[in-house]
Amino acid sequence: DERILAAAQKHAIVPLEQGQLYKYGTAGFRMKADLLDGVTFRVGLLASLRSRKLNSQTIGVMITASHNPAVDNGVKIVDPMGEMLEQDWEHLATNLVNAPTPEDLVQYYNQLATDLKIDLSAPAKVIYGRDTRPSGHTLVAALAAALEATETEQVDYKILTTPQLHYLVRATNTEGTPTSYGEVSEVGYYKKMADAFVRALKGRRINGPLIVDCANGVGGPKLAEFLKHVPQDKVNFEVKIVNDDVLRPEVLNLESGADFVKTKQRAPPKPAPQPGVRSCSLDGDADRLIYYWIDPDTGFFMLDGDRISSLAASFIGDLVESAGLKDELRIGVVQTAYANGASTNYIRSHLKLPVMCTPTGVKHLHHVAQSFDIGVYFEANGHGTVLFSPDALRAFKTTEPQSPAQQDALTTLAALSDLINQTVGDAISDMLLVEVILAHKNWSLRDWAMTYNDLPNRLVRVVVGNKDLFQTTDAERRLSHPEGAQEQIDAAVKKYKDARAFARASGTENACRVYAEAATNSEAIELAKQVAQIIE
Ligand code: 16G
Ligand code: ZN
C-alpha cells in the first residue's frame, strides 16, 4: 500500500472542471496528453488487478489517440484474447481514475480487490505499446510506475500499431497451447501475416502498384517492416508508402489518413494524388483503412468500411459455397447505423446474408460478430475485421475435399483465417485481405465500385448544450430522449425518397452527430440540416 501511495503521489490526477469526470469511453480514456499522466498510472493499477482476477493471464495496455490531433493521447486496456476490456470493468476504470486523492485511490484499489475476490499476491503480467506521439514516452513511465508498485511483471514493446499490441496479448496468452496465435514478438506478427498472404494469393498477380498513405503515424514504419517479410520471388506486391514522417509530431494525421479521407471525402492533398492509381489510407494507429482512387474521368471515388465489408462477405461467401460448407457455417455481417443503406441492401438482397446493426464502437460489433461462424464486421469509417469460430477453423482443416476446386476453397479459407487479425480491426491485415480478393477476382477499384451505388449522405457535427440529454434505442437509430425529438426527425425523413436519418451523442467528443441519406445529394444535405436544427 505504501508503495502504491508513494507512486500515486508522483502521478497525481488533474482535477477537471466542476462536475466533470474522466470516463472510460469507446476508445478508453482519450484527451489532451497533459491530463493523462495520473490517468495512465491508474489504468496500470486496474490492468494489474484484471490480470490477477483472470488467473494471471497477460493484459495489454495501448497508449494512442488514433486519428486525433498530435497533442491528444489516450490509454485503453486489452483483454487476454486480444479483445477490448470487458464492458463491466469500464466503470471500474472510470471510478478508479476519478478517485480524488492518492489516499482515496489506494482505498478504492483495495476495496476492488476485496469485492472482486482478487488475490493481490498472485502473479500479474501486463504488456504495453504506444503510437508515435511524443507524449507516449512519459505516459509509459507512469504506467510502468503503477506496474512496479503492484509487483506486476511487465514488457514494454515500445512503438506498435494498436492491432499489433492486440496480437501480442493473444499470442502471449495462447503460447504453447493448441490454439497458439503465433510467435510472441513483433517479427512473429509479420511472419504470420506474410506467410498467410502468400498462401491466400496462390500465385495470383496483384494488379498494379498500391499507394499507402500512413497519416504520418506508426503504420508507416510498421508497414515498411512487414514488406521485408514478403518474399519478392513469390508475390509481385509493389507498394509506395507515403506520409510516413514520424519524426515531426505536428504532421501526425494532418490532412492525411483514413479519418481525413472518410470525413472530407477527398484524397490527401500531399503528395499530389496520382490519377488512376489504387490508393488507400491508414489512420494514426493503423486500425482503420479506406481505399480510393482518382478516376481520370469522374474524379475521386472512395471505398470505405461498408465496401470492404461487402467485398469480404461476397468473397468469403463464395469460398464457403465452393468448400461445400454452406449448410454448416453461418455467415453474417455486422454494421452500425452509419452503414450506407445501399450496402445493407446489397448484402441482404444480392449476397443473401443476414445483416445485424449494433451501436457505434468496435466492441459492440465484435461481440455480435462472434455469434456467427464467420462474422464480418466493419464500421463505415474503415475499422473492422472478420471473425472465424472454432467450428469454422476446424471445418477448413478437416473437411475431406471431393474435388480440386473444393480443396482450393478450403485452403484459401484457412489462409484467410491466418491473414485476418482475429483480435481487432487491423488496417495492414485488412489491406492485404483486400489485395488478395482483388487479385483473385482480377478486379480494379473501378470494378469493385460497380457492385452497387451508395446513397448520397451527409454527416454533420452539432454542438449542443448537454449531449447527455440525447439517448438512443434500436442500435442508435432512434432517439428515446429528449421526448418528442424522434417524432420530429420521423416527420422530416418522411418528406424525402429513400431517406433515413438519425442523431446520437458522440462517445469521443462533446457534441452530437447527425447522419442523413437520401436519393439525391441535395436532399441528403437538406435532411441533415433539418435534423441538426431539431436537436440544436
Ligand atoms: C471510437 C471507436 C470507433 C468509433 C468512434 C465513434 C473503437 C476502437 N473506436 O473511435 O470505432 O467509430 O469512436 O466516435 O471502438 P464518436 O462516438 O465520437 O462518433
Ligand atoms: Zn485508430
Side-chain angles (χ1 to χ4, degrees):
D1 280 14
E2 265 146 42
R3 286 179 66 183
I4 300 177
L5 188 62
Q9 278 157 350
K10 286 191 204 134
H11 299 281
I13 203 89
V14 182
L16 295 178
E17 276 172 48
Q18 197 68 44
Q20 288 205 37
L21 289 177
Y22 291 97
K23 187 163 180 280
Y24 196 101
T26 29
F29 297 102
R30 191 178 288 183
M31 57 201 73
K32 296 274 166 289
D34 49 17
L35 293 174
L36 275 170
D37 189 84
V39 172
T40 308
F41 176 83
R42 291 161 183 229
V43 166
L45 296 184
L46 193 77
S48 77
L49 282 175
R50 185 129 182 96
S51 174
R52 291 191 160 112
K53 172 72 190 173
L54 299 177
N55 301 316
S56 306
Q57 289 184 92
T58 297
I59 296 295
V61 175
M62 183 69 199
I63 295 175
T64 176
S66 183
H67 58 281
N68 289 129
V71 293
D72 289 5
N73 215 328
V75 54
K76 58 185 170 188
I77 295 181
V78 179
D79 262 358
M81 281 306 107
E83 286 153 346
M84 309 267 169
L85 176 67
E86 182 187 298
Q87 224 153 316
D88 287 353
W89 274 57
E90 289 183 2
H91 79 272
L92 305 183
T94 297
N95 293 347
L96 197 67
V97 165
N98 288 296
T101 66
E103 288 76 13
D104 295 324
L105 174 66
V106 172
Q107 196 201 336
Y108 185 62
Y109 172 85
N110 285 322
Q111 188 198 321
L112 271 182
T114 312
D115 292 353
L116 298 169
K117 302 194 174 58
I118 294 170
D119 175 4
L120 290 177
S121 65
K125 183 169 174 181
V126 172
I127 68 176
Y128 48 90
R130 59 188 160 95
D131 69 17
T132 53
R133 288 176 165 78
S135 58
H137 200 72
T138 49
L139 296 180
V140 156
L143 177 65
L147 300 176
E148 261 158 49
T150 52
E151 294 180 3
T152 302
E153 185 187 343
Q154 50 175 303
V155 183
D156 178 2
Y157 278 99
K158 310 261 161 54
I159 291 177
L160 293 175
T161 70
T162 296
Q164 284 181 325
L165 180 77
H166 286 251
Y167 165 93
L168 286 165
V169 172
R170 180 140 165 185
T172 303
N173 287 309
T174 55
E175 192 182 19
T177 74
T179 53
S180 161
Y181 195 58
E183 272 177 43
V184 189
S185 65
E186 193 183 322
V187 167
Y189 167 93
Y190 300 127
K191 287 204 306 207
K192 177 177 178 178
M193 239 162 34
D195 171 72
F197 186 46
V198 174
R199 285 192 288 131
L201 273 169
K202 299 231 162 99
R204 281 175 181 78
R205 303 216 24 103
I206 294 173
N207 199 351
L210 172 68
I211 298 176
V212 187
D213 153 39
C214 297
N216 296 311
V218 59
K222 300 306 179 185
L223 175 58
E225 205 49 45
F226 166 76
L227 291 172
K228 294 182 192 160
H229 295 264
V230 177
Q232 295 296 315
D233 55 329
K234 292 194 185 125
V235 175
N236 70 318
F237 192 29
E238 194 190 323
V239 178
K240 183 163 178 240
I241 299 178
V242 301
N243 296 323
D244 60 346
D245 180 355
V246 293
L247 297 177
R248 286 186 302 145
E250 66 276 14
V251 295
L252 174 65
N253 295 320
L254 190 70
E255 301 225 294
S256 62
D259 195 64
F260 173 88
V261 174
K262 173 70 180 161
T263 55
K264 300 281 182 324
Q265 312 219 6
R266 59 186 160 98
K270 282 186 205 159
Q274 289 188 35
V277 181
R278 194 165 77 259
S279 308
C280 66
S281 288
L282 322 182
D283 72 340
D285 63 339
D287 60 2
R288 290 194 196 177
L289 174 70
I290 301 282
Y291 268 75
Y292 49 91
W293 90 103
I294 312 278
D295 194 288
D297 301 327
T298 53
F300 175 80
F301 194 94
M302 174 174 78
L303 296 135
D304 63 3
D306 300 339
R307 296 280 184 172
I308 299 172
S309 166
S310 53
L311 182 75
S314 138
F315 183 63
I316 293 172
D318 287 349
L319 284 173
V320 166
E321 188 159 354
S322 308
L325 295 170
K326 200 166 170 246
D327 298 329
E328 221 171 291
L329 301 178
R330 258 189 92 232
I331 309 178
V333 177
V334 189
Q335 303 185 318
T336 70
Y338 289 110
N340 195 282
S343 75
T344 315
N345 189 36
Y346 171 80
I347 297 164
R348 283 204 178 119
S349 314
H350 188 83
L351 304 180
K352 307 220 179 317
L353 294 173
V355 181
M356 311 273 275
C357 185
T358 74
T360 303
V362 169
K363 62 185 175 203
H364 301 293
L365 291 101
H366 190 94
H367 185 73
V368 173
Q370 283 175 324
S371 65
F372 294 99
D373 288 307
I374 301 177
V376 180
Y377 76 82
F378 278 86
E379 288 192 298
N381 63 27
H383 192 158
T385 192
V386 183
L387 299 181
F388 297 90
S389 72
D391 281 348
L393 298 178
R394 203 172 310 121
F396 303 159
K397 278 204 192 101
T398 60
T399 304
E400 282 296 337
Q402 308 296 317
S403 69
Q406 188 181 5
Q407 172 159 30
D408 193 58
L410 287 165
T411 51
T412 307
L413 283 166
L416 292 183
S417 69
D418 286 330
L419 180 65
I420 304 171
N421 195 321
Q422 297 296 289
T423 63
V424 77
D426 181 335
I428 296 179
S429 156
D430 289 339
M431 180 187 88
L432 299 173
L433 170 67
V434 169
E435 293 296 308
V436 164
I437 301 177
L438 296 179
H440 272 256
K441 290 182 179 281
N442 196 15
W443 272 8
S444 65
L445 293 196
R446 194 198 296 243
D447 298 320
W448 178 12
M450 300 250 280
T451 45
Y452 61 83
N453 291 319
D454 273 321
L455 282 169
N457 60 86
R458 254 303 173 279
L459 178 61
V460 290
R461 183 174 175 275
V462 186
V463 179
V464 293
N466 178 5
K467 71 166 180 173
D468 297 332
L469 296 178
F470 294 86
Q471 288 168 27
T472 59
T473 63
D474 191 20
E476 299 182 332
R477 288 174 291 193
R478 299 184 66 77
L479 282 175
S480 58
H481 294 88
E483 243 156 82
Q486 186 58 46
E487 286 70 19
Q488 290 183 52
I489 296 175
D490 289 342
V493 170
K494 243 197 213 143
K495 289 187 275 179
Y496 301 93
K497 188 174 172 287
D498 292 333
R500 187 170 71 88
F502 65 87
R504 59 176 279 276
S506 159
T508 62
E509 282 182 68
N510 199 13
C512 279
R513 300 198 200 285
V514 167
Y515 175 88
E517 62 187 30
T520 67
N521 201 28
S522 56
E523 288 171 312
I525 294 173
E526 255 179 60
L527 178 57
K529 213 183 269 168
Q530 290 181 19
V531 175
Q533 274 162 7
I534 293 170
I535 65 163
E536 235 156 28

